Amino acid sequence: MLTVEALRALLELTPHPVEGGYFVETYRSAEQVAADALPSRYAGARAAGGDAPALAPGFDYTDHETARRADLLATHPTARNLIAALTH
């Protein structure tokens, strides 16, 4: 069985700068979406599509936090509908 490091090297994956894990761009569309059709947070035209498979890190319980629904609602009242949909 391949280790994570061996698989990462085999697929030439690079660290994802924002989300963590590793990725490689395998496809980028030649078609572009013009800068004036995009939100202002984009500095220029962007590819219309692309593909970048990722090898995400495994779930780590040391990063896991739980909270009671009442506490979440008290802390984030504007997210009431989302909290209700995702909790019980």
Side-chain angles (χ1 to χ4, degrees):
M1 175 181 267
L2 287 174
T3 65
V4 171
E5 284 304 311
L7 184 59
R8 186 188 65 73
L10 177 69
L11 298 175
E12 300 177 7
L13 300 174
T14 57
H16 194 285
V18 177
E19 299 173 10
Y22 298 90
F23 79 104
V24 63
E25 184 178 67
T26 58
Y27 169 75
R28 184 181 293 237
S29 172
E31 294 180 80
Q32 297 281 306
V33 177
D36 62 355
L38 294 168
S40 61
R41 68 179 180 269
Y42 295 103
R46 308 281 288 193
D51 187 44
L55 176 64
F59 182 78
D60 184 349
Y61 280 96
T62 61
D63 293 336
H64 180 72
E65 295 181 25
T66 57
R68 294 182 338 192
R69 178 188 245 185
D71 294 337
L72 290 171
L73 290 169
T75 306
H76 308 284
T78 59
R80 175 171 291 282
N81 291 339
L82 179 60
I83 293 167
L86 297 176
T87 63
H88 62 279

